[in-house]
Amino acid sequence: PEAITVQELANRMAERTSDLVKTLFKMGTPVTATQTIDQDTAELLVTEFGHIIKRVSDSDVEIGVGGEADVDTDLQPRPPVVTIMGHVDHGKTSLLDALRGTDVVAGEAGGITQHIGAYQVTLKSGAKISFLDTPGHEAFTEMRARGATITDIVVIVVAGDDGLMPQTIEAINHTKAAGVPMIVAINKMDKPGSDANKIRTALLQHDVQVEAMGGEVQDVEVSALKKTGLDELTDKILLQAELLELRANPDRMAEATVVEAKLDKGKGPLATVLVRRGTLRTGDIFVVGTESGKVRALVNDKGQQVKEAGPSVPVEVLGLTGVPMAGDNLAVVENEARAREVALYRQQVATAKRTTSAPASLESMFSAIS
Ligand code: GDP
Ligand code: MG
């Protein structure tokens, strides 16, 4: 269905039109420069000239860029990824900070924590939990809208002295829609006016049945301020994680999701990613959204340079060609040519989408002939 003129193709191949016409004649396809040839003929011609067709269709270019299934026996347990949601002022930020304080490794690292959009705590037991440090349902729904649900468990924070508020209900609905299990943290239990049972009862009206009410949703009374109930909360997160049987193959080319990205004056484009599977290492070549790159350095949530990051580990990546978007997929590929090819293709598709509603055409397909 798609066609290209000989002239146009010659242009894209940086060859003389007359040479193409001659070759086509030899191939048994007598045409003039302004005539069109079909896709098969064009491909044949390109090959005849010793060029490589970099892509024939969307899937052809994207093939091999992550996505392949893992063999069951290669899967190993991975830490859960948790998002905290709830109404404004109910204590999301305070709870994230308090949980961060439970990290036994942070102390050893000198306690220098930096905000990279996600962090991982190592509990006394050695168990690990990753938290997305982007509280609120906006980040969650935005990621979900982009097909990047990386959250395994949602913790809904409700202030015990307040009750279910519009954003609490929104958070409950978003969590349910995403099919992600929730744990309710009834916060501010240090406040005299707090009433956990009132919250449990109110939750019933929104079809959230906590265990005390005969349901299956775990709840826990906490105080982010006084740091009480935190062990119970992390225990419940780990219990929920166990039920989910979270596993990933660490021994493959890494795939990760961008949590946040920015342009740093000194370091250039930076992206905080959360590794979903495989292990990301310095020197790895990757594509991320319409950008590509080579891992120059990896910085963890404690501000330390690390050589690698495995499944569920959040890490800041240096060495990108540009700033990707939150929710973008990062996939390690075999070499730089491949990374550039995929990134270029994606840029063209993005441009095509912006300028017309039509999908990438033969014209854009042949623009990357080398
Ligand atoms: P967010 O908007 O959900 O992120 O809520 P914040 O973490 O910013 O907390 C809002 C206010 O509630 C702040 O003044 C906190 O100090 C306070 N707060 C948070 N957690 C607790 C708690 O457990 N007990 C008490 N008494 N105050 C809390
Ligand atoms: Mg906050």
Side-chain angles (χ1 to χ4, degrees):
E2 293 180 312
I4 187 168
T5 66
V6 178
Q7 223 160 25
E8 181 59 24
L9 185 57
N11 245 345
R12 295 187 188 282
M13 289 166 67
E15 295 282 356
R16 276 202 299 268
T17 310
S18 58
D19 289 342
L20 262 70
V21 172
K22 258 184 250 165
T23 308
L24 279 163
F25 186 78
K26 274 189 246 164
M27 283 162 61
T29 316
V31 286
T32 60
T34 52
Q35 275 182 297
T36 58
I37 51 173
D38 63 25
Q39 190 171 325
D40 287 346
T41 311
E43 276 178 36
L44 212 64
L45 190 64
V46 168
T47 321
E48 195 70 19
F49 273 80
H51 295 279
I52 298 154
I53 297 171
K54 291 210 160 176
R55 64 193 117 80
V56 173
S57 69
D58 199 346
S59 54
D60 275 9
V61 182
E62 300 281 351
I63 275 169
V65 183
E68 314 92 50
D70 283 304
V71 187
D72 194 64
T73 48
D74 290 336
L75 300 176
Q76 289 178 31
R78 64 166 178 86
V81 179
V82 178
T83 293
I84 294 186
M85 293 199 260
H87 197 72
V88 64
D89 280 346
H90 279 199
K92 296 177 296 291
T93 303
S94 304
L95 191 59
L96 275 163
D97 288 348
L99 287 162
R100 195 167 200 168
T102 63
D103 191 0
V104 296
V105 181
E108 292 164 18
I112 309 155
T113 52
Q114 61 169 38
H115 179 86
I116 64 163
Y119 64 84
Q120 190 176 65
V121 298
T122 304
L123 304 169
K124 276 176 236 126
S125 63
K128 293 174 196 294
I129 302 173
S130 297
F131 290 95
L132 290 179
D133 197 2
T134 46
H137 54 257
E138 266 160 57
F140 181 83
T141 41
E142 195 186 303
M143 295 274 249
R144 199 165 86 83
R146 305 202 60 220
T149 304
I150 46 173
T151 302
D152 299 308
I153 298 164
V154 168
V155 171
I156 308 256
V157 184
V158 190
D161 65 336
D162 198 3
L164 303 194
M165 299 300 281
Q167 285 172 284
T168 320
I169 293 152
E170 250 182 77
I172 290 170
N173 292 337
H174 286 314
T175 308
K176 280 186 178 172
V180 176
M182 70 176 88
I183 295 172
V184 179
I186 306 172
N187 190 32
K188 306 199 185 184
M189 288 311 292
D190 60 286
K191 278 191 156 182
S194 285
D195 184 349
N197 277 330
K198 208 178 97 191
I199 305 292
R200 293 187 183 102
T201 309
L203 284 167
L204 290 174
Q205 286 169 352
H206 298 278
D207 282 325
V208 178
Q209 291 191 325
V210 298
E211 286 173 333
M213 295 290 178
E216 283 173 1
V217 175
Q218 301 190 88
D219 71 86
V220 51
E221 296 178 21
V222 299
S223 165
L225 191 74
K226 302 277 183 224
K227 301 188 188 351
T228 59
L230 299 179
D231 288 348
E232 205 187 331
L233 176 56
T234 50
D235 279 353
K236 293 197 171 182
I237 290 170
L238 292 173
L239 180 69
Q240 184 66 61
E242 217 170 283
L243 294 172
L244 293 171
E245 292 184 56
L246 303 170
R247 298 188 302 160
N249 176 9
D251 304 313
R252 55 168 292 148
M253 290 200 289
E255 278 175 55
T257 302
V258 176
V259 175
E260 60 179 33
K262 62 177 182 199
L263 185 65
D264 183 275
K265 271 193 193 131
K267 299 177 197 159
L270 297 177
T272 295
V273 304
L274 197 117
V275 178
R276 295 198 316 279
R277 54 179 182 169
T279 298
L280 186 62
R281 297 189 172 85
T282 45
D284 276 352
I285 290 149
F286 61 85
V287 241
V288 55
T290 53
E291 305 296 337
S292 60
K294 181 174 181 171
V295 181
R296 196 145 46 81
L298 294 172
V299 180
N300 71 11
D301 54 350
K302 278 104 194 162
Q304 302 161 313
Q305 284 216 15
V306 290
K307 290 219 154 51
E308 55 178 46
S312 297
V313 174
V315 73
E316 192 173 67
V317 180
L318 281 79
L320 296 96
T321 54
V323 182
M325 291 198 285
D328 272 349
N329 183 52
L330 179 149
V332 172
V333 293
E334 52 277 11
N335 56 51
E336 282 173 43
R338 181 89 177 102
R340 275 197 301 271
E341 171 194 27
V342 178
L344 179 67
Y345 174 69
R346 288 180 181 178
Q347 278 161 26
Q348 286 166 349
V349 170
T351 308
K353 272 190 191 145
R354 268 200 304 275
T355 51
T356 68
S357 55
S361 63
L362 183 72
E363 201 176 304
S364 70
M365 276 166 37
F366 281 99
S367 60
I369 295 163
S370 66

